Amino acid sequence: MEWDEPQPPHIKKEEESPYVKEEEEELLPLYVKEEEEALQPPHIKDEDHSIGQEGEQLEELEEFPVIRVIVKGQDEDEAAAVNHCGGSQACNLIAQITSTMADGGEIDMVSDILKHPFSKRTFPEKLDIVRRGRPTPKLVSLSQQGKGFVRHFQSSAYERYNWLTASKGHCKLYCWECLLFASDRTGVWSNKGFANLSCLSKAAVRHQATAVHLKAAVLLRTFGEPRVDLRLNEQVCRETELHNEKVNKNREILKRLIDCVIFLGKQELSFRGHTESAGSANRGNYMELLSFLAENNAELHYHLSTNKVFCGASGKIQNDLVNAIGEVMRDEIRKEVREAPFVAVMVDEATDASNSAAQLALVLRYVTAAGVKERFVTYEDVPSGRRADDVAALIVCFLEKYECLHKAVAQSFDGTTAVSSGLNGVQAKIKEKAPLALFIHCYAHRLNLVLTQGVSKLKECKIFFAHLSELAAFFSRSPKRAQLLDDICQLCLPRTAPTRWQHTSRLVSTVFERRDALKEVFNHILEHHDEYDEDSVRSADGFHARLDNFDFCFLLHAFNGIFEHCDVLFGILKNKPLDVQLCLARVKEFCDTIELERERFSAIYVSTVHILGPPSTQNGPEQGDIQVQYQQLHKNVLDNILCQLQNRFHDHKQLMFLSLLDHQQFQTYRSKFPHTAFSSLTKSHGTLFDLPRLKTELTVMYAMLDFKGKCPTEVLDFLHQKNLSESMPQLYRLACLTVTMPMSTATLQPTCSALKRVKTYARNTLGQSRLAALASMSIEKDFLMDLKRREHLYDRVIEVFLRKERRMDFVYKSASLSSVKKILPLTSSSGQMTQM
């Protein structure tokens, strides 16, 4: 019979072990040639470094997480990992090694080690395996046919050989020591497994006498014992402990600075004052808030009083903290976007408080586990020239930066951005990169404002709306002037009208109807000029003249009629977003109404002449030619509005599929499936769905009362709450797609007002990156506070803050090998000096 390993010629009995004499080292090459050839001298850097003890070292690591204790069997990286987390992650790491299960639910440790070798595991995993000890499963299925009998494996062999183990999965026997520590990974007892029961005793006796087994046994018994050659001296440990105590205090101080920045940012308050020197009555909000916190915080008070290196009051520190918070918020948004199935990009234009610089506010709309979210991300400067290619390239670059270009299903712009850069050009360029990104009118943009921004491309219209806006601001900026307006107009003009003039149609209607009353207000200011400042008198004189200007009154009359119909259309679009067919029908009716406005030119012109008289013809064309000019202006306004409507609602024809989740139609859909809407989805976004399964899931939803009356957002929440997103994945994707479309009335416009307030209070010298970060804290304050509650916000902000070189200590330190090298030389197990 052939043996897997050569049998020693002098073995007489199975129980005898001939290798108990000192001469065994001379006889060893004769009997264990195969395993001895596999034995290779270990290298100090390549061996498993695993020398254990049934374990008290892990408890030491957990109790002293700062002091780095390196033990046998643990390399530098593992030691750093264990000391850094203080052993707190050991349980998570250990759980990974129990994934291999044998029949009956028992852990087949041997199979798992064969699959994931012991030497490649982390030190906490190794330590746990050694602590558990060798598994001794009952191998009922391990048997061998003999001559007229069947030989079965007996569990008593485990007691006879204290190194013997087995795998139920492989149904073979192994050596526990060699399985863990043998350098030969191809041996019978360490890898292949032994199953020849007829000669088990002889093979076992022979194996336990080999050098490979003896070395592995020593390594197992000493695993986990401290390596004397790497003991840290008391001085290094003490220095490390003192350093980390200092770091902990510094980080607590930095957290209070972060609190101040977050508070001022989300409240849209300025940071710095005109004079920040000690003794000043008002040193700015940041320093005053910091001083207020220090009154009840002894550590912070001592730091502000004594520290000259890192006081935290400098403008540079404030800027760095603001930018760090903004970057953490953007990183979190990037994580949310990465997990979202679809994304819509919304672009709005905002101008700073001085009206000197226009910027694009970039907003992403997507679905998270908490529902649909609209996140303001950042501001970007409007490209010079406002060319369609440049604006589109900026938006595409933004989407690529946040890794969502391939997820984009919708794009939405306000009037200024779209018209000034070429609406068709921008949305077409984006569609080249994101074909599924439909151009959609966002209902957060009031339609009259969008059309106003569009017609402002015409010179006369831009001048008209500029004067109109200043007229509203004239009263809203002064309580005295607002009170005068209310006193003179009495009940004709509601007290709240000035605050509501942000809606263009309301402003046009108010000025058109109360023109004479407004003139009386301006006359009162001019007659009582001594009671008002020069700016009020100058403005009142200009507005009085403007209300008697023929161009102004002509456009006032024209837009008053247009915006009356526009507000009706906006109400339908706002309240019936899912009924796309109805919305498109109302848009068509509005376009027909605009066409009919052409016939009203004569009435508008005659009415204006009746009020003001004919327009001035001094040094100009004759009266008949002037009327033709106004008729052409009226035609250009109507053509511009019609062109905007056609472009803005062109892609809405592809949104018929939204009616699939129109909860008001569910009862109808039970008896008649909406094939038209389903075909629309097939054409526009069919590649994103398993259409046959989606149809089945929709049929089930229509038939079940659990979904009755639920709008798309409620359907999405229902699927989340009941854990049905995996059971009905296609319906879940459809709900995500539907709510991602910017068809709802989620507010976007406040981002612009927030920017103006931030820029008004903040210093003009602030950089663009800080402005975007401040705007993020203000606009997304709920998101910021949610991060502060559920995430390690402080640690993440500090991590970003420390990317720049700092003169203070903020990073924890552990006793590393580099410090040990300076203390004592390292010796190998043979006693020779070793160079690290």
Side-chain angles (χ1 to χ4, degrees), residues 645-659:
L645 289 172
Q646 292 171 0
N647 291 332
R648 188 162 287 274
F649 292 96
H650 178 268
D651 282 349
H652 280 238
K653 298 177 182 178
Q654 302 181 47
L655 297 177
M656 297 291 291
F657 69 86
L658 295 178
S659 60

Side-chain angles (χ1 to χ4, degrees), residues 518-676:
L518 289 172
K519 289 181 62 177
E520 184 178 349
V521 171
F522 295 132
N523 276 328
H524 177 85
I525 295 176
L526 294 175
E527 291 175 0
H528 300 80
H529 59 86
D530 55 333
E531 300 178 6
Y532 295 90
D533 57 72
E534 294 182 358
D535 181 66
S536 297
V537 174
R538 181 176 60 254
S539 298
D541 182 57
F543 289 134
H544 187 276
R546 183 57 52 185
L547 291 175
D548 286 332
N549 181 270
F550 191 91
D551 290 0
F552 184 86
C553 291
F554 173 79
L555 291 175
L556 185 68
H557 197 161
F559 280 112
N560 183 59
I562 293 172
F563 285 157
E564 286 180 358
H565 304 290
C566 184
D567 286 341
V568 175
L569 176 60
F570 175 77
I572 295 174
L573 296 176
K574 176 182 178 181
N575 298 321
K576 299 285 186 179
L578 298 180
D579 195 342
V580 179
Q581 190 170 1
L582 174 63
C583 292
L584 292 177
R586 294 297 180 266
V587 170
K588 185 178 184 305
E589 292 178 4
F590 180 72
C591 292
D592 295 339
T593 302
I594 297 299
E595 287 290 350
L596 294 176
E597 283 289 317
R598 299 182 189 276
E599 302 176 0
R600 293 187 62 246
F601 165 73
S602 297
I604 295 173
Y605 185 82
V606 171
S607 176
T608 308
V609 171
H610 177 74
I611 296 173
L612 300 176
S616 175
T617 59
Q618 296 180 358
N619 300 325
E622 299 295 331
Q623 186 66 35
D625 294 336
I626 290 180
Q627 183 172 348
V628 172
Q629 289 181 2
Y630 282 102
Q631 185 174 10
Q632 183 63 40
L633 173 61
H634 186 253
K635 177 180 180 297
N636 291 341
V637 170
L638 298 180
D639 289 343
N640 184 285
I641 292 177
L642 287 173
C643 180
Q644 288 189 71
L645 289 172
Q646 292 171 0
N647 291 332
R648 188 162 287 274
F649 292 96
H650 178 268
D651 282 349
H652 280 238
K653 298 177 182 178
Q654 302 181 47
L655 297 177
M656 297 291 291
F657 69 86
L658 295 178
S659 60
L660 290 171
L661 295 182
D662 187 354
H663 58 285
Q664 298 177 353
Q665 302 294 328
F666 282 3
Q667 187 172 356
T668 303
Y669 294 161
R670 292 175 190 172
S671 56
K672 185 179 180 181
F673 188 82
H675 293 286
T676 302

Side-chain angles (χ1 to χ4, degrees), residues 46-50 73-75 77-78 93 96-97 112-127 129 179-183 185 191 223:
D46 297 331
E47 68 172 340
D48 294 334
H49 300 312
S50 302
Q74 183 181 18
D75 56 23
D77 294 336
E78 293 171 349
L93 298 173
Q96 299 176 5
I97 69 174
D112 187 63
I113 294 175
L114 291 172
K115 184 178 180 181
H116 305 290
F118 183 81
S119 60
K120 295 183 179 180
R121 296 172 183 262
T122 62
F123 179 73
E125 291 180 290
K126 293 178 181 178
L127 191 60
I129 292 174
L179 185 67
L180 301 184
F181 296 101
S183 58
R185 306 308 307 168
N191 182 269
F223 181 81

Side-chain angles (χ1 to χ4, degrees), residues 370-387:
V372 60
K373 302 295 182 183
E374 272 187 18
R375 300 291 194 205
F376 165 79
V377 182
T378 187
Y379 282 109
E380 294 288 349
D381 291 330
V382 176
S384 58
R386 299 173 180 254
R387 296 175 58 251

